[in-house]
Amino acid sequence: MAKYEQQRNFLKSNFLEFKHIKTDKLKGLPQPPIVKSFNSTSLIIDLPKISRDVVSKENIYECINDRRSTRFYSDESLSLDELSYLLWATQGITSMTKNGCTLRTVPCSGATHTFETYLFIMRVEGLQQGIYRYLPVEHKLVFMFELDKIDQKIDAITLDQPFVPNFVKKASVMFAWSTTPYRSEWKYDISAHKKILIDVGHVSQNLYLTSESIGAGACAIGIYDQKLIDDILELDGDEEFIIFMSAVGKKRE
C-alpha cells in the first residue's frame, strides 16, 4: 500500500543510490570512540573469567530447537559467572584490528558496534540491585546508581503491558541496549540505520541462545517508553538512546 512505501524502501538495500554520498570517513573526519568512556572513580566490578563450566546444554542444535521467549522464571538468581558469560556472548571483544576496530562475539556491519549494554540488575548473586553498564574492553561492570522501586520503574518503562510485569518482576536482569548511531553513520551515512537494526538482532539472538545453554530464558521487549528509559539511564535521546531490551531469568519447571 502507498502509505507504507517509504518504510518499505527503508528495508531494501538501495545501496547503489548511496554511491554518490561522501561519508564522514571518506571526508577524513576522525572516527568516533569505539566505546563509551566511564568515570575511573566509579565502582568497577570485575567479572569472572569466561568459563564453559556454566554451560549445561552444549548441543547447539538443542539450543536452537528449544529456544523460546521465556516469560515464566523461577526464584533462582543468576550467578555472576553466568552474567559474565551472557555479557561476553552478546558484546564481548575477541580481538582488535590494527586500526582499533573491535571484533566481537556478534557480527556487525563494518565492525562499527554502535551498542552499549545497560543492566537493570534485580537478582544476580554478589550484585546489589541497581543500574550497571558493561565495559567490553575491560570485561567489567561499572555501577551507575541504585534505582528505587526498580520493578515499578520497569513496569512504567514497558508501558504497563498486561503480561510484562508478571515476568519482569521475576527476571534476574533486564538488558537494555543503547545505540550511538554516529559510530555507523561515520562510515555508512544514511544507510547506517538499517544496519544498526540488523545488528541488534544478532545481539538479541545470541542472548536467547546462550540463555538457553545455561538453563535460563530470555524475552525480548520492543515496546517501551523511549523518553522514560533514556531519562532513567541519563542518555540524551539523540546521540545515544535505547533501541532494544530483553529480560533474562532462570527457567521455571
Side-chain angles (χ1 to χ4, degrees), residues 56-57 63 70 78 85-86 89-90 175 204-219 246-251:
S56 57
K57 183 187 291 187
C63 289
T70 303
L78 278 181
Y85 169 62
L86 295 178
T90 50
F175 284 66
S204 178
Q205 181 70 345
N206 265 28
L207 183 64
Y208 267 101
L209 294 179
T210 49
S211 294
E212 182 66 33
S213 76
I214 61 171
C219 185
S246 184
V248 176
K250 285 289 188 170
K251 287 186 176 182

Coordinates of all heavy atoms in Angstrom, one line a residue, residues 56-57 63 70 78 85-86 89-90 175 204-219 246-251:
S56 N 25.2 -25.8 30.6 CA 24.6 -27.1 31.0 C 24.1 -27.8 29.7 O 23.8 -28.9 29.8 CB 23.5 -26.9 32.0 OG 22.5 -26.0 31.5
K57 N 23.9 -27.0 28.6 CA 23.4 -27.6 27.4 C 24.3 -27.2 26.3 O 24.3 -26.0 25.8 CB 22.0 -27.1 27.1 CG 21.3 -27.7 25.8 CD 20.0 -27.1 25.5 CE 18.9 -27.4 26.5 NZ 17.6 -26.9 26.1
C63 N 19.9 -26.1 21.6 CA 19.7 -24.7 22.0 C 18.8 -24.0 21.0 O 17.9 -23.2 21.4 CB 21.0 -24.0 22.1 SG 22.0 -24.5 23.6
T70 N 10.9 -16.7 26.9 CA 10.5 -17.2 28.2 C 9.9 -16.1 29.1 O 10.6 -15.1 29.3 CB 11.8 -17.8 28.9 OG1 12.3 -18.8 28.0 CG2 11.4 -18.4 30.2
L78 N 20.6 -15.5 39.0 CA 21.7 -15.8 38.1 C 23.0 -15.6 38.9 O 23.1 -14.8 39.8 CB 21.8 -14.8 37.0 CG 20.9 -15.0 35.7 CD1 21.1 -13.9 34.7 CD2 21.1 -16.3 35.1
Y85 N 29.2 -14.6 31.4 CA 29.1 -15.4 30.1 C 28.1 -14.7 29.1 O 28.4 -14.6 27.9 CB 28.6 -16.8 30.5 CG 28.2 -17.7 29.3 CD1 29.1 -18.0 28.3 CD2 26.9 -18.2 29.3 CE1 28.7 -18.9 27.3 CE2 26.5 -19.1 28.3 CZ 27.4 -19.4 27.3 OH 27.0 -20.2 26.3
L86 N 26.9 -14.3 29.6 CA 25.9 -13.7 28.8 C 26.4 -12.3 28.2 O 26.2 -12.0 27.0 CB 24.6 -13.4 29.6 CG 23.9 -14.7 30.1 CD1 22.6 -14.3 30.9 CD2 23.5 -15.6 28.9
A89 N 28.9 -13.1 25.5 CA 28.3 -13.7 24.3 C 27.6 -12.7 23.5 O 27.4 -12.8 22.3 CB 27.3 -14.8 24.7
T90 N 27.2 -11.5 24.1 CA 26.4 -10.5 23.4 C 27.2 -9.3 22.9 O 26.8 -8.7 21.9 CB 25.2 -10.0 24.3 OG1 25.7 -9.7 25.6 CG2 24.2 -11.1 24.4
F175 N 18.4 -6.6 30.2 CA 19.3 -6.0 29.3 C 18.7 -4.8 28.6 O 17.5 -5.0 28.1 CB 19.9 -7.0 28.3 CG 20.8 -8.0 28.8 CD1 20.4 -8.9 29.8 CD2 22.2 -8.0 28.4 CE1 21.3 -9.9 30.3 CE2 23.1 -8.9 28.9 CZ 22.6 -9.9 29.8
S204 N 20.6 -9.8 20.2 CA 19.4 -10.4 20.9 C 19.4 -11.9 20.7 O 19.2 -12.7 21.6 CB 18.1 -9.8 20.4 OG 17.0 -10.4 21.0
Q205 N 19.7 -12.4 19.5 CA 19.7 -13.9 19.3 C 20.8 -14.6 20.0 O 20.6 -15.7 20.6 CB 19.8 -14.2 17.8 CG 19.8 -15.7 17.4 CD 18.4 -16.3 17.6 OE1 17.5 -15.8 18.3 NE2 18.2 -17.5 17.1
N206 N 21.9 -13.9 20.1 CA 23.0 -14.5 21.0 C 22.6 -14.6 22.4 O 22.9 -15.6 23.1 CB 24.3 -13.7 20.9 CG 25.2 -14.3 19.8 OD1 24.8 -14.9 18.8 ND2 26.5 -14.0 20.0
L207 N 21.8 -13.6 22.9 CA 21.3 -13.7 24.3 C 20.3 -14.8 24.5 O 20.4 -15.5 25.5 CB 20.7 -12.4 24.7 CG 20.2 -12.3 26.1 CD1 21.4 -12.4 27.1 CD2 19.5 -11.0 26.4
Y208 N 19.5 -15.0 23.5 CA 18.5 -16.1 23.5 C 19.2 -17.4 23.6 O 18.9 -18.3 24.5 CB 17.6 -16.1 22.3 CG 16.3 -15.3 22.5 CD1 16.2 -14.0 22.0 CD2 15.2 -15.9 23.1 CE1 15.0 -13.3 22.1 CE2 14.0 -15.2 23.2 CZ 13.9 -13.9 22.7 OH 12.7 -13.3 22.8
L209 N 20.2 -17.7 22.7 CA 20.8 -19.0 22.7 C 21.7 -19.3 23.9 O 21.7 -20.4 24.4 CB 21.6 -19.1 21.4 CG 20.7 -19.1 20.1 CD1 21.6 -19.2 18.8 CD2 19.7 -20.2 20.1
T210 N 22.4 -18.3 24.3 CA 23.3 -18.5 25.5 C 22.5 -18.6 26.8 O 22.9 -19.4 27.7 CB 24.4 -17.4 25.6 OG1 23.7 -16.1 25.5 CG2 25.4 -17.5 24.5
S211 N 21.4 -17.9 26.8 CA 20.5 -18.1 28.0 C 20.0 -19.5 28.0 O 20.0 -20.2 29.1 CB 19.3 -17.1 27.9 OG 19.7 -15.8 28.1
E212 N 19.6 -20.0 26.9 CA 19.1 -21.4 26.8 C 20.2 -22.4 27.2 O 19.9 -23.4 27.9 CB 18.7 -21.7 25.3 CG 18.1 -23.1 25.1 CD 16.8 -23.4 25.8 OE1 16.0 -22.4 26.0 OE2 16.6 -24.5 26.3
S213 N 21.4 -22.1 26.9 CA 22.5 -23.0 27.2 C 22.9 -23.1 28.7 O 23.6 -24.0 29.1 CB 23.8 -22.6 26.4 OG 24.4 -21.5 27.0
I214 N 22.4 -22.2 29.5 CA 22.6 -22.2 30.9 C 21.4 -22.5 31.7 O 21.3 -22.2 33.0 CB 23.3 -20.9 31.4 CG1 22.4 -19.7 31.2 CG2 24.7 -20.7 30.8 CD1 22.9 -18.4 31.8
G215 N 20.3 -22.9 31.1 CA 19.1 -23.2 31.8 C 18.3 -22.0 32.1 O 17.4 -22.0 33.0
A216 N 18.5 -20.9 31.4 CA 17.8 -19.6 31.6 C 17.0 -19.4 30.4 O 17.1 -20.1 29.4 CB 18.8 -18.5 31.9
G217 N 16.2 -18.3 30.4 CA 15.4 -17.9 29.3 C 15.4 -16.4 29.1 O 15.6 -15.7 30.1
A218 N 15.2 -16.0 27.9 CA 15.2 -14.6 27.6 C 13.9 -14.2 26.9 O 13.2 -15.1 26.3 CB 16.4 -14.2 26.6
C219 N 13.5 -13.0 27.0 CA 12.3 -12.5 26.3 C 12.6 -11.0 25.9 O 12.7 -10.1 26.7 CB 11.1 -12.5 27.2 SG 9.5 -12.1 26.3
S246 N 15.7 -6.8 26.8 CA 15.4 -8.2 27.0 C 15.5 -8.5 28.4 O 16.5 -8.2 29.1 CB 16.3 -9.1 26.1 OG 15.9 -10.4 26.3
A247 N 14.5 -9.3 28.9 CA 14.6 -9.8 30.3 C 15.2 -11.2 30.2 O 15.1 -11.9 29.3 CB 13.2 -9.9 30.9
V248 N 15.9 -11.5 31.3 CA 16.6 -12.9 31.4 C 16.4 -13.4 32.9 O 16.5 -12.6 33.8 CB 18.1 -12.8 31.1 CG1 18.7 -14.2 31.3 CG2 18.3 -12.3 29.7
G249 N 16.0 -14.6 33.0 CA 15.9 -15.3 34.3 C 16.0 -16.8 34.1 O 15.9 -17.3 33.0
K250 N 16.2 -17.4 35.3 CA 16.3 -18.9 35.2 C 14.9 -19.5 35.0 O 13.9 -19.0 35.5 CB 16.8 -19.4 36.6 CG 18.3 -19.2 36.8 CD 19.0 -20.2 35.9 CE 20.5 -20.2 36.3 NZ 21.2 -21.3 35.6
K251 N 14.8 -20.5 34.1 CA 13.5 -21.1 33.8 C 12.8 -21.7 34.9 O 13.5 -22.3 35.8 CB 13.7 -22.1 32.6 CG 14.0 -21.5 31.3 CD 14.1 -22.6 30.2 CE 14.3 -22.1 28.9 NZ 14.2 -23.2 27.8

